[in-house]
Amino acid sequence: MNIKKSKQQLFVVVLIFIITLLGLVKGHNNNSNNINNSNNNNNNNNKNNNNNNNNNIKNSDDDYYIGAVLEYTPAAYNYNDPNETPIKYVLANVKQYNAYAQTAKSQGAQIIVFPEYGLLGGAFATRDEVLPYLEVIPDPRQSSQPIIPCNNENFENRTILQSLSCIAIENSIVLVADMGDVQYCDNSTSIDNCPTDGRFQYNTQVAFSEKGELLAKYHKSHLYGEPYFNPSTPPDPVIFSTDFNVTFGMFICFDILFEEPQKTLIQKYGVHNLVYSTEWVNVNYAYARGVQESWSKIYNANVLAANIGATSAISGSGIYSNGNFINSYQNPTTKPANKLLVGKLPKDPTKSTTTTTTTSSSKNKDSNIETIDFIYYKPFKHQLYDGAVNFNDLKTPTSINATIIPFSISENQVNQTIVSSNNGITCTFTYSTGGKVDKNRLLYSLVSFNGNFNDFFNSQLCSASICGSNDPNSCFDNVFDSSSAFTSVHIQGNFQSDYHIVPTFITYPLVDNYLANYQFGDQFISVLNIEQYFIGTSLFAIQWNDTSSSDNLSYEYI
């Protein structure tokens, strides 16, 4: 009886094991089907916890993309070499672009942005002088077929377009670069007034897909000392979309200050991602990185900004998300410098509540510039390429009739107030200092200005910043470092309602978003608990044509 009972018990155990095993196999098959269904449709609801975890990881990755920008200085044109030609010169820069694109791709970048004049080099004296550097760039919006210049016989005489297209293909990366566009015309065929030389010449940003397709071209709308180019009149806003499901707006340099094309990009197209090529000239109330961060913060946007790194006077690139520094760089020297920046960004920064991490810079210090001894000098006092326009003949950002009130700081000051007035605008700056100040640079200044800005636009300005030395004549110098601690600052002005304010807050190192509490349209900046050394803060306002612009440009309007 015991043996028979034992056999019966054994039979039951085996039977239960088989049933359990079959159930597990069936469950595994069901899970596999769920995974397949999830891959086919990310919106399917799966009951399996493991599947949900996998989907969350995948969706999290899908919510981000990796962008790269290059701060790059092209070599000076060798006028002494009889074999040097414009196309040979440009292709030498193209070769450098390819090397940096390869590096960016190896770090996971899906898009790379190059600076303004990175291919063409410095400024030019005449329209004829720049012409050999230009190519006829087709407009993808006017083509029913994809335009892929790489290995395309129709582009045999347009080597720059061919080369950029091939770089995008070779590295499987979206590529954005600045080059020159020429469009031939005559008064019988042009709806605009054709120039007397029979051609429109444009400073142009182009975008290529990973497959080498020309996605977009954008003509710079607002020129700064570029008489050899035509402005896009009226501004023509341009966007392009990528295979990683992000739509980008396009700007070049000075465009970032003007009502158009940015108003249309924001209000009509709802742009939250910007590719920005620039050759920005720094001035102590509008440093390149400060302006870039400001645009990112005001419009809850991602900004991929590539500047030329010719000297500290013309430098400052970065990757920003909703005003947060993902990665940035400032050339601290009077010599050219190149720097590749890579960072991970949310595709929709308006939904992102945390700062994404940088791939190659420290959050605690600006390691690129911290140990460098700075040389102070005024804007535009930099080496120019042979044959270029002499910038000393141009009005500079400091050649405005501003009121400058110098003041000296000391340790542990509390709620000190400085006032500066100019032509109807009154600026007030209140500050408190900490226990450490730089005795070699105790001088700061409060600048006010209300008037026409060098024939470009009407402007109002309130700016408090460190001077280059204890000499009041240095108070318009570019200064990129500080060792004086401020605990709080507040700056405000009585700006007119039709002026669009660009707020900036600059520290050393420049790593934190001190504009986090700034609200669109505020006529003041107020910051407590400053952790880095204070350089300056500014409210730089430009009059826009639409008096309702200051209210309508907020993302809350969309």
Side-chain angles (χ1 to χ4, degrees), residues 410-413 432-439 483-487:
S410 59
E411 297 175 352
N412 299 313
Q413 291 178 295
S432 298
T433 58
K436 179 183 178 181
V437 297
D438 183 354
K439 291 183 172 55
S483 56
S484 294
F486 283 58
T487 58

Side-chain angles (χ1 to χ4, degrees), residues 346-420:
K347 292 182 178 179
D348 185 353
T350 65
K351 296 180 180 179
S352 177
T353 58
T354 59
T355 304
T356 56
T357 57
T358 174
T359 63
S360 61
S361 70
S362 169
K363 180 65 178 174
N364 297 321
K365 68 176 185 176
D366 197 336
S367 58
N368 298 314
I369 64 175
E370 187 157 17
T371 60
I372 303 295
D373 291 331
F374 278 75
I375 298 174
Y376 305 100
Y377 55 95
K378 293 178 173 59
F380 288 119
K381 303 296 184 182
H382 59 87
Q383 182 179 359
L384 298 172
Y385 301 118
D386 291 338
V389 171
N390 186 352
F391 278 100
N392 290 323
D393 293 336
L394 299 175
K395 294 181 179 179
T396 73
T398 58
S399 61
I400 55 176
N401 188 23
T403 300
I404 304 175
I405 306 296
F407 60 94
S408 295
I409 64 170
S410 59
E411 297 175 352
N412 299 313
Q413 291 178 295
V414 178
N415 293 333
Q416 301 295 303
T417 297
I418 309 296
V419 178
S420 177

Side-chain angles (χ1 to χ4, degrees), residues 458-504:
N458 292 327
S459 176
Q460 296 180 336
L461 171 68
C462 291
S463 176
S465 63
I466 190 172
C467 301
S469 67
N470 288 331
D471 181 355
N473 291 322
S474 71
C475 287
F476 246 151
D477 285 4
N478 287 341
V479 182
F480 299 99
D481 73 336
S482 169
S483 56
S484 294
F486 283 58
T487 58
S488 66
V489 302
H490 177 93
I491 190 169
Q492 67 180 43
N494 57 327
F495 294 89
Q496 294 175 220
S497 60
D498 56 339
Y499 278 67
H500 176 75
I501 297 174
V502 179
T504 60

Side-chain angles (χ1 to χ4, degrees), residues 59 61 102 146 172 249-250 280 328 331 345 349 352 383 405 407 493 499:
N59 288 340
D61 289 340
Q102 290 174 1
S172 188
M250 307 178 80
W280 189 270
S328 73
N331 177 7
L345 300 128
S352 177
Q383 182 179 359
I405 306 296
F407 60 94
Y499 278 67

Side-chain angles (χ1 to χ4, degrees), residues 256-322:
I256 203 168
L257 296 180
F258 289 81
E259 182 173 4
E260 291 293 354
Q262 63 178 293
K263 182 177 178 181
T264 298
L265 288 178
I266 294 165
Q267 290 187 351
K268 181 177 179 179
Y269 297 115
V271 165
H272 298 278
N273 292 268
L274 179 71
V275 289
Y276 180 56
S277 301
T278 183
E279 189 185 27
W280 189 270
V281 177
N282 287 306
V283 62
N284 67 351
Y285 55 84
Y287 288 117
R289 291 189 296 172
V291 172
Q292 295 158 14
E293 182 216 7
S294 179
W295 203 93
S296 173
K297 169 60 179 71
I298 289 176
Y299 302 121
N300 302 330
N302 295 325
V303 175
L304 300 174
N307 199 0
I308 274 188
T311 68
S312 60
I314 308 178
S315 175
S317 301
I319 300 173
Y320 314 84
S321 182
N322 202 4

